[in-house]
Amino acid sequence: MAMKHVAFLLLAFLLVSSDGEEVSREVADLGAPADTPALPPPHKIVDAKDCIGACNERCSLHSRKNVCSRACLTCCNTCHCVPAGTSGNRETCGKCYTDWKTHGNETKCP
């Protein structure tokens, strides 16, 4: 019985609205995925010396810079990549960077 009332109200709303075509188009657009912005390219590391500058940039806004830098350098030396920016974008470096965990099952790489 309640379903009939909901259907009736929805139909009445569509009939009363001034532009029913626009309403149906908006309802159809609700299921469409939003365009996601492109991720910035990561710092691809060729030489281990390049890790220092990339990690300094990555950890520049971190509250615990020494901890961040130590983890970043470890990840950089192993994965040969540091994500662009000061946070996020970890997936641009691949599974090596995203799947590495600490003993406490936390993500290792910043």
Side-chain angles (χ1 to χ4, degrees):
M1 185 73 171
M3 188 62 126
K4 288 181 182 179
H5 290 291
V6 172
F8 176 75
L9 290 173
L10 181 61
L11 182 60
F13 173 74
L14 290 175
L15 291 175
V16 172
S17 71
S18 62
D19 193 2
E21 183 179 316
E22 187 174 319
V23 171
S24 63
R25 193 175 325 119
E26 288 176 8
V27 171
D29 287 343
L30 289 178
D35 292 335
T36 55
L39 298 173
H43 301 283
K44 294 292 184 185
I45 305 299
V46 177
D47 190 15
K49 289 184 267 184
D50 298 334
C51 289
I52 297 170
C55 286
N56 284 343
E57 182 181 331
R58 179 73 176 174
C59 297
S60 63
L61 298 179
H62 201 276
S63 61
R64 299 175 66 194
K65 285 183 178 54
N66 290 338
V67 174
C68 179
S69 292
R70 187 174 61 228
C72 182
L73 288 170
T74 301
C75 294
C76 179
N77 286 325
T78 303
C79 301
H80 304 288
C81 183
V82 175
T86 56
S87 66
N89 307 322
R90 296 174 65 242
E91 60 277 356
T92 59
C93 281
K95 292 181 83 56
C96 175
Y97 204 88
T98 58
D99 292 350
W100 203 355
K101 305 284 185 187
T102 64
H103 293 290
N105 206 28
E106 300 282 328
T107 54
K108 181 170 186 72
C109 303

